[in-house]
Amino acid sequence: MEKELQDLIDGNTEHNRKKWALDWKKAGGKVIGTLCSYVPEEVIYAAGMLPWRITGTWRENVPLARAYRPVNSCPFCTHVLEALLSGELDFLDGVVATSRDQDLVRLVDVWKSLDKEQLTIQLYLPHEESQLACRQFEKEIKKLLRSLEEFGGIRISEEALSKSITEYNKTRSLLMRVYELRKKPKPPLSGAEVLGLVTTAALMPKGQFTPRMESLLPYLEKRIAPVDKFQPRLLVSGDFLDDPSYLRLVEELGCLVAMDDLDTGCRYFWREAVPDSGDPVGALAEAYLQRPGAPHMFNWARQADFVRGLINQFNIEGVIEFVLIYSQARQIRVPYFRDRLNKIGIPNISLTREYGLANVGQLKTR
């Protein structure tokens, strides 16, 4: 069982991350890359296509992308562009992004200008969770649905969409069960291992990931994470953090990453849609907008309350906020987030990071 577990943990490594997508294409299917955790993957899956969470190259040097993007811009977008220009993403049949921030918007502009003959869609993403915002995002999801129907020459029925939501909910429920195990004084998985599992879940067909993960649960009940120390218990917060090396670095210094507030972690699966509502598109719009928010959303108070709840539930003793350099929304939120944590007496620190693991000595010193 350990080998099966390690296969899933290592699913998003540079050597492995494309294998399920390539198998899907060999079987005659289409693969659609997603560039944001707010892209409703269930719609893509309902179209008979594989949603594949795009990871940028983890290499430090990005010479091809530098011809298009300035140094002081989002490194996630820059490293994705490097992967695109170097041919690493040529297997994709399309890409779906959101207007989450202007760096993503500009990345899609370049993507379109390269004329890759791929489906390229950018959804407008509201920055609040009001009923008006939900209705607007519902319209965006319907646009995505129609575009996929035209691209695939198919019709996506309400039944197919509801079935897709149900399948995704199974995966979300299963990941919640895995996270419940992190409440143990000696959890079965390290923070780096958990991040590996969740990022793999965003790459594999759910019909393959769910049964494999489910079969591992009895084993995880008895397993103990391979870390030197289980105290102090830390929570890590951030965006576009898909390289487990950052969490491994923290744990090698004598801490345990017992919980996360990551869009590649718990925020990916924390809220389920309700497929039997009679309005699957509306259910998706509500679920995605009301999930635990990223800093670009205006509900900072609710975001802070969510993290405070995690601190209580998972017995967290300190918080590390990994701020992606030039991520303006998170950088602006740093003082607010810090003050809210200080008020409840939680030690915390904000560390600026690159996309791929870099400046290791500086991070260790901090």
Side-chain angles (χ1 to χ4, degrees), residues 327-345:
S327 175
Q328 295 182 4
R330 185 166 284 271
Q331 287 176 324
I332 292 170
R333 201 197 71 168
V334 163
Y336 177 86
F337 191 62
R338 178 194 61 218
D339 291 347
R340 289 293 296 266
L341 293 175
N342 287 341
K343 284 182 179 179
I344 60 174

mmCIF file with all atom_site columns, all heavy atoms in Angstrom, residues 327-345:
data_model
loop_
_atom_site.group_PDB
_atom_site.id
_atom_site.type_symbol
_atom_site.label_atom_id
_atom_site.label_alt_id
_atom_site.label_comp_id
_atom_site.label_asym_id
_atom_site.label_entity_id
_atom_site.label_seq_id
_atom_site.pdbx_PDB_ins_code
_atom_site.Cartn_x
_atom_site.Cartn_y
_atom_site.Cartn_z
_atom_site.occupancy
_atom_site.B_iso_or_equiv
_atom_site.pdbx_formal_charge
_atom_site.auth_seq_id
_atom_site.auth_comp_id
_atom_site.auth_asym_id
_atom_site.auth_atom_id
_atom_site.pdbx_PDB_model_num
ATOM 1   N N   . SER A 1 327 ? 2.364   38.995 -6.227 1.00 0.00 ? 327 SER A N   1
ATOM 2   C CA  . SER A 1 327 ? 0.940   38.671 -6.122 1.00 0.00 ? 327 SER A CA  1
ATOM 3   C C   . SER A 1 327 ? 0.273   39.806 -5.348 1.00 0.00 ? 327 SER A C   1
ATOM 4   O O   . SER A 1 327 ? 0.255   39.805 -4.117 1.00 0.00 ? 327 SER A O   1
ATOM 5   C CB  . SER A 1 327 ? 0.742   37.329 -5.402 1.00 0.00 ? 327 SER A CB  1
ATOM 6   O OG  . SER A 1 327 ? -0.622  37.064 -5.194 1.00 0.00 ? 327 SER A OG  1
ATOM 7   N N   . GLN A 1 328 ? -0.248  40.778 -6.059 1.00 0.00 ? 328 GLN A N   1
ATOM 8   C CA  . GLN A 1 328 ? -0.662  42.030 -5.429 1.00 0.00 ? 328 GLN A CA  1
ATOM 9   C C   . GLN A 1 328 ? -1.790  41.845 -4.425 1.00 0.00 ? 328 GLN A C   1
ATOM 10  O O   . GLN A 1 328 ? -1.773  42.444 -3.349 1.00 0.00 ? 328 GLN A O   1
ATOM 11  C CB  . GLN A 1 328 ? -1.057  43.039 -6.509 1.00 0.00 ? 328 GLN A CB  1
ATOM 12  C CG  . GLN A 1 328 ? 0.106   43.445 -7.389 1.00 0.00 ? 328 GLN A CG  1
ATOM 13  C CD  . GLN A 1 328 ? -0.275  44.484 -8.423 1.00 0.00 ? 328 GLN A CD  1
ATOM 14  O OE1 . GLN A 1 328 ? -1.410  44.972 -8.448 1.00 0.00 ? 328 GLN A OE1 1
ATOM 15  N NE2 . GLN A 1 328 ? 0.649   44.814 -9.299 1.00 0.00 ? 328 GLN A NE2 1
ATOM 16  N N   . ALA A 1 329 ? -2.778  41.023 -4.746 1.00 0.00 ? 329 ALA A N   1
ATOM 17  C CA  . ALA A 1 329 ? -3.920  40.865 -3.843 1.00 0.00 ? 329 ALA A CA  1
ATOM 18  C C   . ALA A 1 329 ? -3.472  40.321 -2.489 1.00 0.00 ? 329 ALA A C   1
ATOM 19  O O   . ALA A 1 329 ? -3.870  40.828 -1.437 1.00 0.00 ? 329 ALA A O   1
ATOM 20  C CB  . ALA A 1 329 ? -4.964  39.945 -4.469 1.00 0.00 ? 329 ALA A CB  1
ATOM 21  N N   . ARG A 1 330 ? -2.627  39.298 -2.493 1.00 0.00 ? 330 ARG A N   1
ATOM 22  C CA  . ARG A 1 330 ? -2.170  38.727 -1.220 1.00 0.00 ? 330 ARG A CA  1
ATOM 23  C C   . ARG A 1 330 ? -1.220  39.677 -0.504 1.00 0.00 ? 330 ARG A C   1
ATOM 24  O O   . ARG A 1 330 ? -1.253  39.792 0.726  1.00 0.00 ? 330 ARG A O   1
ATOM 25  C CB  . ARG A 1 330 ? -1.516  37.361 -1.442 1.00 0.00 ? 330 ARG A CB  1
ATOM 26  C CG  . ARG A 1 330 ? -1.128  36.683 -0.127 1.00 0.00 ? 330 ARG A CG  1
ATOM 27  C CD  . ARG A 1 330 ? -0.809  35.215 -0.312 1.00 0.00 ? 330 ARG A CD  1
ATOM 28  N NE  . ARG A 1 330 ? -2.006  34.408 -0.483 1.00 0.00 ? 330 ARG A NE  1
ATOM 29  C CZ  . ARG A 1 330 ? -2.698  33.850 0.503  1.00 0.00 ? 330 ARG A CZ  1
ATOM 30  N NH1 . ARG A 1 330 ? -2.331  34.043 1.758  1.00 0.00 ? 330 ARG A NH1 1
ATOM 31  N NH2 . ARG A 1 330 ? -3.755  33.110 0.257  1.00 0.00 ? 330 ARG A NH2 1
ATOM 32  N N   . GLN A 1 331 ? -0.374  40.377 -1.247 1.00 0.00 ? 331 GLN A N   1
ATOM 33  C CA  . GLN A 1 331 ? 0.534   41.327 -0.604 1.00 0.00 ? 331 GLN A CA  1
ATOM 34  C C   . GLN A 1 331 ? -0.243  42.430 0.105  1.00 0.00 ? 331 GLN A C   1
ATOM 35  O O   . GLN A 1 331 ? 0.119   42.860 1.203  1.00 0.00 ? 331 GLN A O   1
ATOM 36  C CB  . GLN A 1 331 ? 1.483   41.920 -1.642 1.00 0.00 ? 331 GLN A CB  1
ATOM 37  C CG  . GLN A 1 331 ? 2.556   40.944 -2.117 1.00 0.00 ? 331 GLN A CG  1
ATOM 38  C CD  . GLN A 1 331 ? 3.427   41.522 -3.217 1.00 0.00 ? 331 GLN A CD  1
ATOM 39  O OE1 . GLN A 1 331 ? 2.964   42.265 -4.074 1.00 0.00 ? 331 GLN A OE1 1
ATOM 40  N NE2 . GLN A 1 331 ? 4.706   41.177 -3.204 1.00 0.00 ? 331 GLN A NE2 1
ATOM 41  N N   . ILE A 1 332 ? -1.326  42.886 -0.517 1.00 0.00 ? 332 ILE A N   1
ATOM 42  C CA  . ILE A 1 332 ? -2.140  43.944 0.095  1.00 0.00 ? 332 ILE A CA  1
ATOM 43  C C   . ILE A 1 332 ? -2.855  43.410 1.335  1.00 0.00 ? 332 ILE A C   1
ATOM 44  O O   . ILE A 1 332 ? -3.040  44.126 2.321  1.00 0.00 ? 332 ILE A O   1
ATOM 45  C CB  . ILE A 1 332 ? -3.159  44.485 -0.931 1.00 0.00 ? 332 ILE A CB  1
ATOM 46  C CG1 . ILE A 1 332 ? -2.424  45.234 -2.054 1.00 0.00 ? 332 ILE A CG1 1
ATOM 47  C CG2 . ILE A 1 332 ? -4.169  45.409 -0.267 1.00 0.00 ? 332 ILE A CG2 1
ATOM 48  C CD1 . ILE A 1 332 ? -3.309  45.596 -3.221 1.00 0.00 ? 332 ILE A CD1 1
ATOM 49  N N   . ARG A 1 333 ? -3.220  42.123 1.309  1.00 0.00 ? 333 ARG A N   1
ATOM 50  C CA  . ARG A 1 333 ? -3.965  41.543 2.428  1.00 0.00 ? 333 ARG A CA  1
ATOM 51  C C   . ARG A 1 333 ? -3.078  41.210 3.620  1.00 0.00 ? 333 ARG A C   1
ATOM 52  O O   . ARG A 1 333 ? -3.587  41.008 4.737  1.00 0.00 ? 333 ARG A O   1
ATOM 53  C CB  . ARG A 1 333 ? -4.694  40.281 1.957  1.00 0.00 ? 333 ARG A CB  1
ATOM 54  C CG  . ARG A 1 333 ? -5.866  39.874 2.848  1.00 0.00 ? 333 ARG A CG  1
ATOM 55  C CD  . ARG A 1 333 ? -6.304  38.451 2.613  1.00 0.00 ? 333 ARG A CD  1
ATOM 56  N NE  . ARG A 1 333 ? -5.330  37.481 3.110  1.00 0.00 ? 333 ARG A NE  1
ATOM 57  C CZ  . ARG A 1 333 ? -5.581  36.182 3.233  1.00 0.00 ? 333 ARG A CZ  1
ATOM 58  N NH1 . ARG A 1 333 ? -6.763  35.697 2.868  1.00 0.00 ? 333 ARG A NH1 1
ATOM 59  N NH2 . ARG A 1 333 ? -4.659  35.356 3.680  1.00 0.00 ? 333 ARG A NH2 1
ATOM 60  N N   . VAL A 1 334 ? -1.771  41.149 3.436  1.00 0.00 ? 334 VAL A N   1
ATOM 61  C CA  . VAL A 1 334 ? -0.854  40.696 4.494  1.00 0.00 ? 334 VAL A CA  1
ATOM 62  C C   . VAL A 1 334 ? -1.066  41.418 5.826  1.00 0.00 ? 334 VAL A C   1
ATOM 63  O O   . VAL A 1 334 ? -1.211  40.767 6.871  1.00 0.00 ? 334 VAL A O   1
ATOM 64  C CB  . VAL A 1 334 ? 0.616   40.809 4.042  1.00 0.00 ? 334 VAL A CB  1
ATOM 65  C CG1 . VAL A 1 334 ? 1.573   40.739 5.234  1.00 0.00 ? 334 VAL A CG1 1
ATOM 66  C CG2 . VAL A 1 334 ? 0.950   39.698 3.062  1.00 0.00 ? 334 VAL A CG2 1
ATOM 67  N N   . PRO A 1 335 ? -1.099  42.772 5.874  1.00 0.00 ? 335 PRO A N   1
ATOM 68  C CA  . PRO A 1 335 ? -1.276  43.431 7.181  1.00 0.00 ? 335 PRO A CA  1
ATOM 69  C C   . PRO A 1 335 ? -2.595  43.088 7.858  1.00 0.00 ? 335 PRO A C   1
ATOM 70  O O   . PRO A 1 335 ? -2.635  42.915 9.082  1.00 0.00 ? 335 PRO A O   1
ATOM 71  C CB  . PRO A 1 335 ? -1.203  44.929 6.834  1.00 0.00 ? 335 PRO A CB  1
ATOM 72  C CG  . PRO A 1 335 ? -0.507  44.993 5.515  1.00 0.00 ? 335 PRO A CG  1
ATOM 73  C CD  . PRO A 1 335 ? -0.914  43.748 4.795  1.00 0.00 ? 335 PRO A CD  1
ATOM 74  N N   . TYR A 1 336 ? -3.661  42.998 7.070  1.00 0.00 ? 336 TYR A N   1
ATOM 75  C CA  . TYR A 1 336 ? -4.969  42.648 7.639  1.00 0.00 ? 336 TYR A CA  1
ATOM 76  C C   . TYR A 1 336 ? -4.931  41.247 8.224  1.00 0.00 ? 336 TYR A C   1
ATOM 77  O O   . TYR A 1 336 ? -5.379  41.015 9.360  1.00 0.00 ? 336 TYR A O   1
ATOM 78  C CB  . TYR A 1 336 ? -6.035  42.738 6.544  1.00 0.00 ? 336 TYR A CB  1
ATOM 79  C CG  . TYR A 1 336 ? -7.424  42.328 7.006  1.00 0.00 ? 336 TYR A CG  1
ATOM 80  C CD1 . TYR A 1 336 ? -8.268  43.252 7.605  1.00 0.00 ? 336 TYR A CD1 1
ATOM 81  C CD2 . TYR A 1 336 ? -7.873  41.018 6.841  1.00 0.00 ? 336 TYR A CD2 1
ATOM 82  C CE1 . TYR A 1 336 ? -9.540  42.872 8.039  1.00 0.00 ? 336 TYR A CE1 1
ATOM 83  C CE2 . TYR A 1 336 ? -9.130  40.635 7.262  1.00 0.00 ? 336 TYR A CE2 1
ATOM 84  C CZ  . TYR A 1 336 ? -9.964  41.569 7.865  1.00 0.00 ? 336 TYR A CZ  1
ATOM 85  O OH  . TYR A 1 336 ? -11.202 41.180 8.296  1.00 0.00 ? 336 TYR A OH  1
ATOM 86  N N   . PHE A 1 337 ? -4.408  40.306 7.479  1.00 0.00 ? 337 PHE A N   1
ATOM 87  C CA  . PHE A 1 337 ? -4.336  38.912 7.919  1.00 0.00 ? 337 PHE A CA  1
ATOM 88  C C   . PHE A 1 337 ? -3.462  38.798 9.171  1.00 0.00 ? 337 PHE A C   1
ATOM 89  O O   . PHE A 1 337 ? -3.829  38.119 10.140 1.00 0.00 ? 337 PHE A O   1
ATOM 90  C CB  . PHE A 1 337 ? -3.769  38.069 6.771  1.00 0.00 ? 337 PHE A CB  1
ATOM 91  C CG  . PHE A 1 337 ? -3.882  36.585 6.964  1.00 0.00 ? 337 PHE A CG  1
ATOM 92  C CD1 . PHE A 1 337 ? -5.106  35.968 7.076  1.00 0.00 ? 337 PHE A CD1 1
ATOM 93  C CD2 . PHE A 1 337 ? -2.744  35.797 6.992  1.00 0.00 ? 337 PHE A CD2 1
ATOM 94  C CE1 . PHE A 1 337 ? -5.215  34.590 7.232  1.00 0.00 ? 337 PHE A CE1 1
ATOM 95  C CE2 . PHE A 1 337 ? -2.828  34.417 7.144  1.00 0.00 ? 337 PHE A CE2 1
ATOM 96  C CZ  . PHE A 1 337 ? -4.070  33.826 7.260  1.00 0.00 ? 337 PHE A CZ  1
ATOM 97  N N   . ARG A 1 338 ? -2.327  39.486 9.166  1.00 0.00 ? 338 ARG A N   1
ATOM 98  C CA  . ARG A 1 338 ? -1.416  39.454 10.314 1.00 0.00 ? 338 ARG A CA  1
ATOM 99  C C   . ARG A 1 338 ? -2.091  39.998 11.565 1.00 0.00 ? 338 ARG A C   1
ATOM 100 O O   . ARG A 1 338 ? -1.996  39.400 12.648 1.00 0.00 ? 338 ARG A O   1
ATOM 101 C CB  . ARG A 1 338 ? -0.175  40.285 9.984  1.00 0.00 ? 338 ARG A CB  1
ATOM 102 C CG  . ARG A 1 338 ? 0.856   40.393 11.109 1.00 0.00 ? 338 ARG A CG  1
ATOM 103 C CD  . ARG A 1 338 ? 1.854   41.489 10.814 1.00 0.00 ? 338 ARG A CD  1
ATOM 104 N NE  . ARG A 1 338 ? 1.178   42.778 10.700 1.00 0.00 ? 338 ARG A NE  1
ATOM 105 C CZ  . ARG A 1 338 ? 1.515   43.722 9.812  1.00 0.00 ? 338 ARG A CZ  1
ATOM 106 N NH1 . ARG A 1 338 ? 2.490   43.531 8.958  1.00 0.00 ? 338 ARG A NH1 1
ATOM 107 N NH2 . ARG A 1 338 ? 0.846   44.862 9.781  1.00 0.00 ? 338 ARG A NH2 1
ATOM 108 N N   . ASP A 1 339 ? -2.796  41.127 11.419 1.00 0.00 ? 339 ASP A N   1
ATOM 109 C CA  . ASP A 1 339 ? -3.442  41.734 12.586 1.00 0.00 ? 339 ASP A CA  1
ATOM 110 C C   . ASP A 1 339 ? -4.533  40.835 13.158 1.00 0.00 ? 339 ASP A C   1
ATOM 111 O O   . ASP A 1 339 ? -4.695  40.750 14.387 1.00 0.00 ? 339 ASP A O   1
ATOM 112 C CB  . ASP A 1 339 ? -4.022  43.097 12.213 1.00 0.00 ? 339 ASP A CB  1
ATOM 113 C CG  . ASP A 1 339 ? -2.948  44.134 11.927 1.00 0.00 ? 339 ASP A CG  1
ATOM 114 O OD1 . ASP A 1 339 ? -1.768  43.861 12.249 1.00 0.00 ? 339 ASP A OD1 1
ATOM 115 O OD2 . ASP A 1 339 ? -3.274  45.200 11.362 1.00 0.00 ? 339 ASP A OD2 1
ATOM 116 N N   . ARG A 1 340 ? -5.285  40.166 12.294 1.00 0.00 ? 340 ARG A N   1
ATOM 117 C CA  . ARG A 1 340 ? -6.342  39.266 12.779 1.00 0.00 ? 340 ARG A CA  1
ATOM 118 C C   . ARG A 1 340 ? -5.735  38.087 13.543 1.00 0.00 ? 340 ARG A C   1
ATOM 119 O O   . ARG A 1 340 ? -6.288  37.646 14.558 1.00 0.00 ? 340 ARG A O   1
ATOM 120 C CB  . ARG A 1 340 ? -7.190  38.767 11.601 1.00 0.00 ? 340 ARG A CB  1
ATOM 121 C CG  . ARG A 1 340 ? -8.091  39.823 10.971 1.00 0.00 ? 340 ARG A CG  1
ATOM 122 C CD  . ARG A 1 340 ? -9.198  40.264 11.914 1.00 0.00 ? 340 ARG A CD  1
ATOM 123 N NE  . ARG A 1 340 ? -10.107 39.183 12.224 1.00 0.00 ? 340 ARG A NE  1
ATOM 124 C CZ  . ARG A 1 340 ? -11.254 38.932 11.578 1.00 0.00 ? 340 ARG A CZ  1
ATOM 125 N NH1 . ARG A 1 340 ? -11.616 39.719 10.575 1.00 0.00 ? 340 ARG A NH1 1
ATOM 126 N NH2 . ARG A 1 340 ? -12.032 37.932 11.924 1.00 0.00 ? 340 ARG A NH2 1
ATOM 127 N N   . LEU A 1 341 ? -4.611  37.558 13.069 1.00 0.00 ? 341 LEU A N   1
ATOM 128 C CA  . LEU A 1 341 ? -3.956  36.458 13.768 1.00 0.00 ? 341 LEU A CA  1
ATOM 129 C C   . LEU A 1 341 ? -3.335  36.923 15.080 1.00 0.00 ? 341 LEU A C   1
ATOM 130 O O   . LEU A 1 341 ? -3.391  36.222 16.091 1.00 0.00 ? 341 LEU A O   1
ATOM 131 C CB  . LEU A 1 341 ? -2.887  35.824 12.871 1.00 0.00 ? 341 LEU A CB  1
ATOM 132 C CG  . LEU A 1 341 ? -3.402  35.080 11.632 1.00 0.00 ? 341 LEU A CG  1
ATOM 133 C CD1 . LEU A 1 341 ? -2.235  34.602 10.778 1.00 0.00 ? 341 LEU A CD1 1
ATOM 134 C CD2 . LEU A 1 341 ? -4.282  33.895 12.013 1.00 0.00 ? 341 LEU A CD2 1
ATOM 135 N N   . ASN A 1 342 ? -2.768  38.128 15.068 1.00 0.00 ? 342 ASN A N   1
ATOM 136 C CA  . ASN A 1 342 ? -2.174  38.663 16.303 1.00 0.00 ? 342 ASN A CA  1
ATOM 137 C C   . ASN A 1 342 ? -3.225  38.839 17.390 1.00 0.00 ? 342 ASN A C   1
ATOM 138 O O   . ASN A 1 342 ? -2.953  38.620 18.583 1.00 0.00 ? 342 ASN A O   1
ATOM 139 C CB  . ASN A 1 342 ? -1.478  39.996 16.021 1.00 0.00 ? 342 ASN A CB  1
ATOM 140 C CG  . ASN A 1 342 ? -0.172  39.823 15.252 1.00 0.00 ? 342 ASN A CG  1
ATOM 141 O OD1 . ASN A 1 342 ? 0.399   38.733 15.217 1.00 0.00 ? 342 ASN A OD1 1
ATOM 142 N ND2 . ASN A 1 342 ? 0.302   40.894 14.644 1.00 0.00 ? 342 ASN A ND2 1
ATOM 143 N N   . LYS A 1 343 ? -4.427  39.222 16.999 1.00 0.00 ? 343 LYS A N   1
ATOM 144 C CA  . LYS A 1 343 ? -5.490  39.455 17.984 1.00 0.00 ? 343 LYS A CA  1
ATOM 145 C C   . LYS A 1 343 ? -5.886  38.186 18.728 1.00 0.00 ? 343 LYS A C   1
ATOM 146 O O   . LYS A 1 343 ? -6.345  38.253 19.872 1.00 0.00 ? 343 LYS A O   1
ATOM 147 C CB  . LYS A 1 343 ? -6.719  40.065 17.300 1.00 0.00 ? 343 LYS A CB  1
ATOM 148 C CG  . LYS A 1 343 ? -6.552  41.544 16.956 1.00 0.00 ? 343 LYS A CG  1
ATOM 149 C CD  . LYS A 1 343 ? -7.823  42.093 16.321 1.00 0.00 ? 343 LYS A CD  1
ATOM 150 C CE  . LYS A 1 343 ? -7.671  43.578 15.997 1.00 0.00 ? 343 LYS A CE  1
ATOM 151 N NZ  . LYS A 1 343 ? -8.887  44.139 15.353 1.00 0.00 ? 343 LYS A NZ  1
ATOM 152 N N   . ILE A 1 344 ? -5.720  37.040 18.069 1.00 0.00 ? 344 ILE A N   1
ATOM 153 C CA  . ILE A 1 344 ? -6.077  35.786 18.749 1.00 0.00 ? 344 ILE A CA  1
ATOM 154 C C   . ILE A 1 344 ? -4.825  35.082 19.272 1.00 0.00 ? 344 ILE A C   1
ATOM 155 O O   . ILE A 1 344 ? -4.879  33.919 19.686 1.00 0.00 ? 344 ILE A O   1
ATOM 156 C CB  . ILE A 1 344 ? -6.889  34.856 17.823 1.00 0.00 ? 344 ILE A CB  1
ATOM 157 C CG1 . ILE A 1 344 ? -6.101  34.482 16.566 1.00 0.00 ? 344 ILE A CG1 1
ATOM 158 C CG2 . ILE A 1 344 ? -8.217  35.478 17.458 1.00 0.00 ? 344 ILE A CG2 1
ATOM 159 C CD1 . ILE A 1 344 ? -6.802  33.448 15.689 1.00 0.00 ? 344 ILE A CD1 1
ATOM 160 N N   . GLY A 1 345 ? -3.699  35.775 19.226 1.00 0.00 ? 345 GLY A N   1
ATOM 161 C CA  . GLY A 1 345 ? -2.481  35.262 19.851 1.00 0.00 ? 345 GLY A CA  1
ATOM 162 C C   . GLY A 1 345 ? -1.794  34.134 19.108 1.00 0.00 ? 345 GLY A C   1
ATOM 163 O O   . GLY A 1 345 ? -1.119  33.302 19.718 1.00 0.00 ? 345 GLY A O   1
#
